[in-house]
PDB file of all heavy atoms in Angstrom:
ATOM      1  N   MET A 291      -9.981  11.832  20.491  1.00 92.00           N
ATOM      2  CA  MET A 291     -10.011  12.279  19.020  1.00 92.00           C
ATOM      3  C   MET A 291     -10.803  13.565  18.958  1.00 92.00           C
ATOM      4  O   MET A 291     -11.765  13.736  19.662  1.00 92.00           O
ATOM      5  CB  MET A 291     -10.451  11.217  18.240  1.00 92.00           C
ATOM      6  CG  MET A 291      -9.606   9.879  18.138  1.00 92.00           C
ATOM      7  SD  MET A 291      -7.925  10.187  17.430  1.00 92.00           S
ATOM      8  CE  MET A 291      -8.400  10.532  15.705  1.00 92.00           C
ATOM      9  N   LEU A 292     -10.588  14.244  17.919  1.00 92.00           N
ATOM     10  CA  LEU A 292     -11.214  15.634  17.803  1.00 92.00           C
ATOM     11  C   LEU A 292     -12.715  15.546  17.773  1.00 92.00           C
ATOM     12  O   LEU A 292     -13.387  16.402  18.496  1.00 92.00           O
ATOM     13  CB  LEU A 292     -10.743  16.285  16.566  1.00 92.00           C
ATOM     14  CG  LEU A 292     -11.244  17.836  16.268  1.00 92.00           C
ATOM     15  CD1 LEU A 292     -10.489  18.625  17.463  1.00 92.00           C
ATOM     16  CD2 LEU A 292     -10.734  18.380  14.940  1.00 92.00           C
ATOM     17  N   PRO A 293     -13.501  14.488  17.149  1.00 92.00           N
ATOM     18  CA  PRO A 293     -14.926  14.561  17.241  1.00 92.00           C
ATOM     19  C   PRO A 293     -15.399  14.291  18.619  1.00 92.00           C
ATOM     20  O   PRO A 293     -16.528  14.797  18.969  1.00 92.00           O
ATOM     21  CB  PRO A 293     -15.330  13.403  16.329  1.00 92.00           C
ATOM     22  CG  PRO A 293     -14.118  13.190  15.369  1.00 92.00           C
ATOM     23  CD  PRO A 293     -12.937  13.567  16.195  1.00 92.00           C
ATOM     24  N   VAL A 294     -14.662  13.574  19.421  1.00 91.00           N
ATOM     25  CA  VAL A 294     -15.054  13.263  20.729  1.00 91.00           C
ATOM     26  C   VAL A 294     -14.937  14.549  21.592  1.00 91.00           C
ATOM     27  O   VAL A 294     -15.826  14.753  22.452  1.00 91.00           O
ATOM     28  CB  VAL A 294     -14.100  12.151  21.373  1.00 91.00           C
ATOM     29  CG1 VAL A 294     -14.394  11.893  22.775  1.00 91.00           C
ATOM     30  CG2 VAL A 294     -14.240  10.812  20.574  1.00 91.00           C
ATOM     31  N   VAL A 295     -13.870  15.232  21.474  1.00 91.00           N
ATOM     32  CA  VAL A 295     -13.529  16.450  22.374  1.00 91.00           C
ATOM     33  C   VAL A 295     -14.212  17.646  21.845  1.00 91.00           C
ATOM     34  O   VAL A 295     -14.810  18.429  22.641  1.00 91.00           O
ATOM     35  CB  VAL A 295     -12.035  16.742  22.417  1.00 91.00           C
ATOM     36  CG1 VAL A 295     -11.754  17.885  23.233  1.00 91.00           C
ATOM     37  CG2 VAL A 295     -11.310  15.444  23.050  1.00 91.00           C
ATOM     38  N   ALA A 296     -14.237  17.953  20.564  1.00 90.00           N
ATOM     39  CA  ALA A 296     -14.800  19.269  19.907  1.00 90.00           C
ATOM     40  C   ALA A 296     -16.085  19.145  19.311  1.00 90.00           C
ATOM     41  O   ALA A 296     -16.692  20.097  19.049  1.00 90.00           O
ATOM     42  CB  ALA A 296     -13.653  19.835  19.004  1.00 90.00           C
ATOM     43  N   GLY A 297     -16.426  17.912  19.001  1.00 90.00           N
ATOM     44  CA  GLY A 297     -17.748  17.785  18.402  1.00 90.00           C
ATOM     45  C   GLY A 297     -17.591  17.504  16.736  1.00 90.00           C
ATOM     46  O   GLY A 297     -16.449  17.936  16.262  1.00 90.00           O
ATOM     47  N   ARG A 298     -18.738  17.077  16.215  1.00 91.00           N
ATOM     48  CA  ARG A 298     -18.641  16.867  14.766  1.00 91.00           C
ATOM     49  C   ARG A 298     -18.535  18.238  13.885  1.00 91.00           C
ATOM     50  O   ARG A 298     -17.773  18.118  12.911  1.00 91.00           O
ATOM     51  CB  ARG A 298     -19.806  16.165  14.363  1.00 91.00           C
ATOM     52  CG  ARG A 298     -19.940  14.734  14.910  1.00 91.00           C
ATOM     53  CD  ARG A 298     -21.152  13.990  14.572  1.00 91.00           C
ATOM     54  NE  ARG A 298     -21.272  12.585  14.931  1.00 91.00           N
ATOM     55  CZ  ARG A 298     -20.703  11.641  14.187  1.00 91.00           C
ATOM     56  NH1 ARG A 298     -20.206  11.910  12.997  1.00 91.00           N
ATOM     57  NH2 ARG A 298     -20.711  10.375  14.717  1.00 91.00           N
ATOM     58  N   SER A 299     -19.227  19.127  14.330  1.00 90.00           N
ATOM     59  CA  SER A 299     -19.140  20.447  13.565  1.00 90.00           C
ATOM     60  C   SER A 299     -17.715  20.881  13.410  1.00 90.00           C
ATOM     61  O   SER A 299     -17.269  21.358  12.394  1.00 90.00           O
ATOM     62  CB  SER A 299     -20.137  21.422  14.062  1.00 90.00           C
ATOM     63  OG  SER A 299     -20.106  22.603  13.262  1.00 90.00           O
ATOM     64  N   ALA A 300     -17.046  21.101  14.635  1.00 92.00           N
ATOM     65  CA  ALA A 300     -15.683  21.594  14.771  1.00 92.00           C
ATOM     66  C   ALA A 300     -14.768  20.688  13.800  1.00 92.00           C
ATOM     67  O   ALA A 300     -13.891  21.281  13.261  1.00 92.00           O
ATOM     68  CB  ALA A 300     -15.319  21.676  16.146  1.00 92.00           C
ATOM     69  N   THR A 301     -14.967  19.340  13.944  1.00 93.00           N
ATOM     70  CA  THR A 301     -14.067  18.448  13.131  1.00 93.00           C
ATOM     71  C   THR A 301     -14.293  18.619  11.713  1.00 93.00           C
ATOM     72  O   THR A 301     -13.241  18.787  10.955  1.00 93.00           O
ATOM     73  CB  THR A 301     -14.475  17.053  13.576  1.00 93.00           C
ATOM     74  OG1 THR A 301     -14.224  16.864  14.920  1.00 93.00           O
ATOM     75  CG2 THR A 301     -13.546  16.150  12.785  1.00 93.00           C
ATOM     76  N   THR A 302     -15.489  18.794  11.260  1.00 94.00           N
ATOM     77  CA  THR A 302     -15.736  19.051   9.714  1.00 94.00           C
ATOM     78  C   THR A 302     -15.171  20.393   9.346  1.00 94.00           C
ATOM     79  O   THR A 302     -14.670  20.452   8.175  1.00 94.00           O
ATOM     80  CB  THR A 302     -17.137  18.923   9.339  1.00 94.00           C
ATOM     81  OG1 THR A 302     -17.926  19.963  10.185  1.00 94.00           O
ATOM     82  CG2 THR A 302     -17.727  17.656   9.678  1.00 94.00           C
ATOM     83  N   ARG A 303     -15.187  21.299  10.285  1.00 94.00           N
ATOM     84  CA  ARG A 303     -14.587  22.698   9.772  1.00 94.00           C
ATOM     85  C   ARG A 303     -13.050  22.524   9.757  1.00 94.00           C
ATOM     86  O   ARG A 303     -12.336  23.023   8.776  1.00 94.00           O
ATOM     87  CB  ARG A 303     -14.871  23.711  10.807  1.00 94.00           C
ATOM     88  CG  ARG A 303     -14.337  25.104  10.641  1.00 94.00           C
ATOM     89  CD  ARG A 303     -14.888  26.247  11.514  1.00 94.00           C
ATOM     90  NE  ARG A 303     -14.612  25.903  12.938  1.00 94.00           N
ATOM     91  CZ  ARG A 303     -15.424  25.603  13.928  1.00 94.00           C
ATOM     92  NH1 ARG A 303     -16.640  25.401  13.577  1.00 94.00           N
ATOM     93  NH2 ARG A 303     -15.044  25.344  15.086  1.00 94.00           N
ATOM     94  N   GLN A 304     -12.383  21.710  10.571  1.00 95.00           N
ATOM     95  CA  GLN A 304     -10.983  21.533  10.549  1.00 95.00           C
ATOM     96  C   GLN A 304     -10.615  20.743   9.299  1.00 95.00           C
ATOM     97  O   GLN A 304      -9.494  21.070   8.662  1.00 95.00           O
ATOM     98  CB  GLN A 304     -10.465  20.877  11.781  1.00 95.00           C
ATOM     99  CG  GLN A 304     -10.544  21.771  13.100  1.00 95.00           C
ATOM    100  CD  GLN A 304      -9.520  22.937  12.983  1.00 95.00           C
ATOM    101  OE1 GLN A 304      -8.343  22.786  12.633  1.00 95.00           O
ATOM    102  NE2 GLN A 304      -9.977  24.178  13.295  1.00 95.00           N
ATOM    103  N   ILE A 305     -11.357  19.810   8.965  1.00 95.00           N
ATOM    104  CA  ILE A 305     -11.111  19.047   7.733  1.00 95.00           C
ATOM    105  C   ILE A 305     -11.069  19.873   6.513  1.00 95.00           C
ATOM    106  O   ILE A 305     -10.214  19.755   5.683  1.00 95.00           O
ATOM    107  CB  ILE A 305     -12.199  17.838   7.653  1.00 95.00           C
ATOM    108  CG1 ILE A 305     -11.847  16.783   8.746  1.00 95.00           C
ATOM    109  CG2 ILE A 305     -12.289  17.246   6.279  1.00 95.00           C
ATOM    110  CD1 ILE A 305     -13.009  15.722   8.806  1.00 95.00           C
ATOM    111  N   LEU A 306     -12.136  20.666   6.444  1.00 96.00           N
ATOM    112  CA  LEU A 306     -12.155  21.680   5.372  1.00 96.00           C
ATOM    113  C   LEU A 306     -10.997  22.583   5.274  1.00 96.00           C
ATOM    114  O   LEU A 306     -10.409  22.827   4.201  1.00 96.00           O
ATOM    115  CB  LEU A 306     -13.466  22.427   5.304  1.00 96.00           C
ATOM    116  CG  LEU A 306     -13.770  23.276   4.207  1.00 96.00           C
ATOM    117  CD1 LEU A 306     -13.832  22.557   2.813  1.00 96.00           C
ATOM    118  CD2 LEU A 306     -15.097  24.231   4.373  1.00 96.00           C
ATOM    119  N   VAL A 307     -10.515  23.152   6.294  1.00 96.00           N
ATOM    120  CA  VAL A 307      -9.497  23.921   6.413  1.00 96.00           C
ATOM    121  C   VAL A 307      -8.096  23.288   5.928  1.00 96.00           C
ATOM    122  O   VAL A 307      -7.537  23.911   5.100  1.00 96.00           O
ATOM    123  CB  VAL A 307      -9.282  24.549   7.960  1.00 96.00           C
ATOM    124  CG1 VAL A 307      -7.808  25.255   7.940  1.00 96.00           C
ATOM    125  CG2 VAL A 307     -10.328  25.485   8.283  1.00 96.00           C
ATOM    126  N   TYR A 308      -7.932  22.092   6.367  1.00 96.00           N
ATOM    127  CA  TYR A 308      -6.774  21.394   6.059  1.00 96.00           C
ATOM    128  C   TYR A 308      -6.812  20.990   4.505  1.00 96.00           C
ATOM    129  O   TYR A 308      -5.705  20.932   3.739  1.00 96.00           O
ATOM    130  CB  TYR A 308      -6.478  20.160   6.883  1.00 96.00           C
ATOM    131  CG  TYR A 308      -5.813  20.433   8.245  1.00 96.00           C
ATOM    132  CD1 TYR A 308      -6.515  20.768   9.305  1.00 96.00           C
ATOM    133  CD2 TYR A 308      -4.337  20.426   8.172  1.00 96.00           C
ATOM    134  CE1 TYR A 308      -5.767  20.999  10.565  1.00 96.00           C
ATOM    135  CE2 TYR A 308      -3.699  20.805   9.367  1.00 96.00           C
ATOM    136  CZ  TYR A 308      -4.386  21.048  10.578  1.00 96.00           C
ATOM    137  OH  TYR A 308      -3.806  21.278  11.742  1.00 96.00           O
ATOM    138  N   SER A 309      -7.963  20.623   4.081  1.00 96.00           N
ATOM    139  CA  SER A 309      -8.210  20.191   2.668  1.00 96.00           C
ATOM    140  C   SER A 309      -7.942  21.384   1.683  1.00 96.00           C
ATOM    141  O   SER A 309      -7.285  21.211   0.618  1.00 96.00           O
ATOM    142  CB  SER A 309      -9.667  19.727   2.498  1.00 96.00           C
ATOM    143  OG  SER A 309      -9.891  18.679   3.303  1.00 96.00           O
TER     144      SER A 309
END
Side-chain angles (χ1 to χ4, degrees):
M291 294 298 287
L292 192 61
V294 176
V295 176
R298 292 178 174 272
S299 179
T301 302
T302 58
R303 182 171 60 250
Q304 289 296 311
I305 287 175
L306 183 59
V307 168
Y308 276 93
S309 301

